[in-house]
Amino acid sequence: MGDRLERLAVSSARIPFRLKVALVWVVIFAFLGFFFWVAKFDTDWMLDNFTFIAKGLQYTIYIALGGIAIAIVLALLGALARISSNPIAFGISGFYISFFRGTPLIVQMFLIYLALPQIGTNLHVQYPELFSRQFEDSLVLDPAVAGTLALGLNYGAYMTEIFRAGIQSVAAGQGEAADALGMTYRQKMRRVVLPQAFRVIIPPTGNEFIAMMKDTALVSFLGVSIQHAEVFRRAGLVGKADFKNLEALVLAAALYWGLTIIFTFFQRRLETRVSRGYVRTEPLRTAELPSEELSDLPPHGKGGGG
Amino acid sequence: MSDREVIIRVENLHKRFGRLEVVKGVDIELHKGEVVVIFGRSGSGKSTVLRCINFLDDPTRGTIEVAGVRLTGGFRTRRKREQIRKLRLHVGMVFQQFNLFPHMTALDNVRVAPVCAGLKDNKAHAIELLDRVGLADKANEHPIRLSGGQQQRVAIARALAMRPEAMLFDEPTSALDPELIGEVLAVMKSLATDLHMPMIVVTHEMGFAREVSDRMLFFHEGVVWEEAPPEKIFEATEKPETRKFLDAVL
C-alpha cells in the first residue's frame, strides 16, 4: 500500500503542487455534495430562502464595521495610555484591558444589553432628581447597538496590545529625532511615530476585523428584530420554523466563509500597499511623484501648537 | 576664554542612570562661530552630555542655557516641557544612526519640522538646504534608496531646517562605511567655515578635529579631563590619559 502511494507520488511529480492541492479541494467538495445528497439536502428550500438570509450580510457588515471603528479608537487611546508615564491613564487602560480580556464576550454583550438598563432604573428610582427618566431610557439599547458596543469594547482591549506593540516597534531614535526638531507630542505621534506604527498595526487589525465579522453572530443571542437581523439570526429563524436547520446553517456558514475570503483578499492587498516605501527594489515610481503629501496640509497641521 | 557671545552654556552638569553616575560635573561654553570637538573613550559620558544639552536625556543636576533659554535639571513640569521645546528649536542635532523618517522623502524629512511649526516658504528653504548638502537631485527619494553618507547629509539639512543657532553632532560618521565619511565631514566643515555655525561635535575623526575645531575637550570618567586648542592637544598634551587615548586612535 505504502509502496503504491510512493509510486503514485513519484509518477505525479511533474504535476504542479498547487494543481494537486486544488484537486484535493475538488474531491472534498465532491464528498460534501455527495454527503448532502445522501442526507436529503433540500436545495429548493435553500434557493427560496437564500435572499432572506443573505440580506443579513448587510447587518453583519454594519455591526462589524461599527465594532472595528470603536475598537480602533479605543485601541489607539489604550495603547497611548499604556506607553505613557501618566499613572491615571496607565491605570485606566490597564483596568480596561484586564476586564475585557478577562470576561467572555457573550457575558459583556448581556451586561450591556440587560444589566445596563437595570442600573438606569435603580438609579432613577433612588435618585430621581439626579437621574432623569431620559437617562433611564438612554441606557436601554437596541440589541444591535449593544452588540456592536460590546464587540468594539472587547476587540479594542485585544487590539490595544497590537497598537502598543506597533508603536513600540518604531525605533526610539525616530521619536528622539522628532523631539530634537522641536515637535510637540501630538505632532511627533501624528507625523512620525503613528504612520510608521500603522505599517505594523494594519495587517493584524485586518485579522481582528475578519475575526469580528464571525463574532457578530453572537449578537443574534440578544434577540434582534427580524428586519434588522444579521445572517445567523435569520438562518436560525427560518431554519427552526421549517425544520430545515441543516440547510439554513450550511447557508449561513457559507455566507460567513465567503465574506471572510473576500476580506482576506483585500487585507492582503492592503498589506502590500502599506509596506511601500520600505522596499529598496520598488520601481522608481516614488521618485517621479512630486512631494505633495505635506504641501496639501495647512501650515499648522491638526496638531499645531498642541 | 573669549568675550564673544555664548550660545550654549553647560554648568555643573550631572547625569545619573539609576545608581550609575555617567556625568560628574561638566562645564562647557560654546561661543558664536566656534567649533568644539569632544572626544574620549566610550562610556566617558560624551554622548550623554550632548543628549542632555537638548534634554533628550534629562540632566540629574546642573544648568543648560541655549540661546538665552535657561533650564535646570531634575523633574519635568508641564511648564518646563514647553521650555524644553523652545530650547530645542535653537539647536539642531545630528545622530549617529541618522534617524531619518523612512516614510518620508528626503525633502519631506527636511520640511516636516518647519511645516509643524507653521513656517512660511519651507519648501524653498528645504530645497536650498538639500542643495547645500549636495543632494537637491535626491529630494524625492526615500531614505532607503540613499547611501549612508547621503542619509546623514539629509539629516544635517533636516537639523538646519529650523534655522538653529547651534548644532550638536553625536558621532555623525561612526555608522558610516569608511569611503562615505569624507562627504559628511566636508559638509560639516562647510557649515563651520561658510556659515560660522557654532557646533559641538562628538567624534573620533581626529583629522577633522585638528583641521576644523577651535577647542577640544577630552572626556574621561564623566568629567572634562583636559581642554585645549587642537595644536596643544596633539603636540603637547599635559595629561597621560589624553596621550594614551590619542596613541590608541591615531
Side-chain angles (χ1 to χ4, degrees):
Chain A
M1 183 67 195
D3 207 33
R4 198 181 289 175
L5 266 179
E6 198 176 317
R7 237 180 297 151
L8 190 69
V10 170
S11 61
S12 71
R14 295 183 60 181
I15 304 173
F17 180 75
R18 293 178 64 138
L19 199 70
K20 285 188 241 178
V21 173
L23 204 69
V24 172
W25 278 71
V26 168
V27 170
I28 291 173
F29 274 103
F31 262 113
L32 277 174
F34 176 72
F35 166 76
F36 287 139
W37 177 69
V38 169
K40 291 215 189 320
F41 204 53
D42 190 344
T43 44
D44 290 340
W45 185 91
M46 278 177 91
L47 281 175
D48 288 345
N49 289 280
F50 177 79
T51 25
F52 176 74
I53 296 179
K55 262 189 189 156
L57 280 177
Q58 186 188 344
Y59 299 100
T60 296
I61 291 174
Y62 284 167
I63 293 168
L65 284 178
I68 203 77
I70 295 170
I72 285 172
V73 172
L74 288 173
L76 183 59
L77 292 176
L80 290 176
R82 225 43 202 156
I83 57 173
S84 92
S85 52
N86 183 327
I88 298 170
F90 189 88
I92 291 174
S93 67
F95 167 81
Y96 163 65
I97 296 166
S98 177
F99 178 79
F100 281 94
R101 298 208 326 181
T103 53
L105 174 55
I106 189 75
V107 173
Q108 292 160 16
M109 282 191 178
F110 276 102
L111 271 176
I112 291 172
Y113 181 56
L114 289 181
L116 220 50
Q118 199 180 333
I119 291 174
T121 309
N122 291 357
L123 283 175
H124 174 65
V125 169
Q126 273 187 291
Y127 311 100
E129 64 285 349
L130 263 175
F131 299 98
S132 63
R133 183 97 227 170
Q134 284 101 307
F135 173 79
E136 186 191 349
D137 293 341
S138 71
L139 289 186
V140 182
L141 299 173
D142 180 82
V145 174
T148 307
L149 215 56
L151 280 169
L153 284 162
N154 183 276
Y155 273 75
Y158 283 95
M159 281 162 53
T160 295
E161 291 297 301
I162 294 175
F163 276 51
R164 182 193 55 74
I167 292 171
Q168 286 181 336
S169 76
V170 178
Q174 293 288 310
E176 285 181 357
D179 281 339
L181 287 166
M183 291 192 201
T184 63
Y185 176 80
R186 287 180 60 168
Q187 289 166 344
K188 171 173 80 170
M189 281 295 162
R190 233 196 83 201
R191 291 284 169 84
V192 175
V193 176
L194 290 180
Q196 295 183 62
F198 280 137
R199 198 174 66 90
V200 182
I201 290 169
I202 284 173
T205 298
N207 281 338
E208 294 293 309
F209 178 66
I210 289 163
M212 188 188 274
M213 274 195 309
K214 291 174 284 170
D215 276 347
T216 55
L218 290 172
V219 177
S220 64
F221 288 117
L222 301 182
V224 193
S225 63
I226 296 187
Q227 320 71 295
H228 302 304
E230 40 64 63
V231 172
F232 181 55
R233 172 101 169 124
R234 282 164 185 261
L237 281 168
V238 288
K240 269 176 212 146
D242 297 347
F243 294 107
K244 297 287 182 189
N245 284 314
L246 169 68
E247 287 83 354
L249 291 174
V250 166
L251 204 52
L255 286 169
Y256 281 115
W257 198 6
L259 208 58
T260 53
I261 287 170
I262 292 167
F263 277 92
T264 307
F265 170 75
F266 283 123
Q267 194 223 352
R268 290 266 159 74
R269 292 190 46 170
L270 194 66
E271 217 166 298
T272 42
R273 216 187 133 85
V274 291
S275 62
R276 264 191 338 194
Y278 288 80
V279 191
R280 209 188 258 266
T281 52
E282 266 277 298
L284 259 169
R285 214 168 8 156
T286 44
E288 290 150 15
L289 291 169
S291 163
E292 290 303 321
E293 292 152 61
L294 286 167
S295 46
D296 289 343
L297 294 162
H300 272 281
K302 268 210 173 118
Chain B
M1 88 163 231
S2 81
D3 49 22
R4 280 183 298 173
E5 194 185 331
V6 175
I7 300 290
I8 294 179
R9 179 180 279 129
V10 176
E11 281 168 25
N12 192 29
L13 175 68
H14 289 258
K15 177 63 188 177
R16 197 180 257 294
F17 291 105
R19 291 176 62 186
L20 181 70
E21 189 165 37
V22 181
V23 180
K24 305 165 181 167
V26 163
D27 298 270
I28 301 174
E29 275 187 4
L30 181 71
H31 302 86
K32 214 164 190 173
E34 197 182 23
V35 176
V36 167
V37 161
I38 295 176
F39 68 114
R41 286 219 310 265
S42 84
S44 59
K46 336 181 274 295
S47 285
T48 307
V49 167
L50 216 58
R51 292 168 57 84
C52 281
I53 290 176
N54 67 357
F55 285 79
L56 289 182
D57 285 334
D58 278 285
T60 311
R61 228 163 3 111
T63 311
I64 308 285
E65 188 181 331
V66 176
V69 182
R70 192 178 164 84
L71 287 169
T72 49
F75 189 74
R76 275 194 198 190
T77 59
R78 181 184 290 267
R79 201 179 107 77
K80 190 172 158 193
R81 259 202 289 275
E82 196 43 44
Q83 283 182 313
I84 288 173
R85 211 171 70 74
K86 285 221 182 74
L87 178 147
R88 285 170 174 162
L89 292 174
H90 293 295
V91 53
M93 181 143 184
V94 175
F95 300 87
Q96 184 178 353
Q97 300 294 342
F98 328 140
N99 296 346
L100 285 184
F101 306 132
H103 58 300
M104 297 180 193
T105 61
L107 181 64
D108 287 343
N109 264 282
V110 180
R111 278 178 77 199
V112 64
V115 167
C116 283
L119 297 185
K120 293 255 164 25
D121 299 326
N122 53 62
K123 187 168 184 178
H125 187 225
I127 291 172
E128 192 187 312
L129 288 172
L130 281 175
D131 194 36
R132 164 162 287 284
V133 300
L135 289 171
D137 57 326
K138 301 286 183 190
N140 292 321
E141 295 281 9
H142 280 83
I144 188 118
R145 295 175 60 92
L146 302 176
S147 73
Q150 291 171 332
Q151 288 191 46
Q152 192 61 300
R153 282 147 66 197
V154 173
I156 292 172
R158 179 177 70 175
L160 290 168
M162 294 304 289
R163 304 177 196 272
E165 283 152 76
M167 292 277 282
L168 306 173
F169 290 87
D170 187 7
E171 302 202 30
T173 56
S174 300
L176 293 174
D177 289 337
E179 78 272 19
L180 303 175
I181 291 174
E183 60 188 74
V184 173
L185 292 179
V187 167
M188 290 164 61
K189 191 181 164 193
S190 83
L191 293 187
T193 52
D194 302 348
L195 297 182
H196 305 291
M197 175 66 76
M199 51 176 98
I200 302 178
V201 185
V202 173
T203 187
H204 295 130
E205 293 298 324
M206 289 302 135
F208 174 84
R210 188 196 287 264
E211 197 183 344
V212 181
S213 78
D214 300 298
R215 256 187 309 144
M216 294 178 70
L217 310 185
F218 178 65
F219 268 54
H220 187 63
E221 292 176 353
V223 297
V224 179
W225 200 260
E226 185 174 2
E227 175 173 357
E231 314 80 64
K232 176 132 189 281
I233 292 278
F234 288 115
E235 314 304 339
T237 171
E238 291 158 359
K239 311 273 182 166
E241 290 82 1
T242 313
R243 186 73 260 155
K244 208 172 139 203
F245 179 83
L246 284 175
D247 286 344
V249 298
L250 283 176

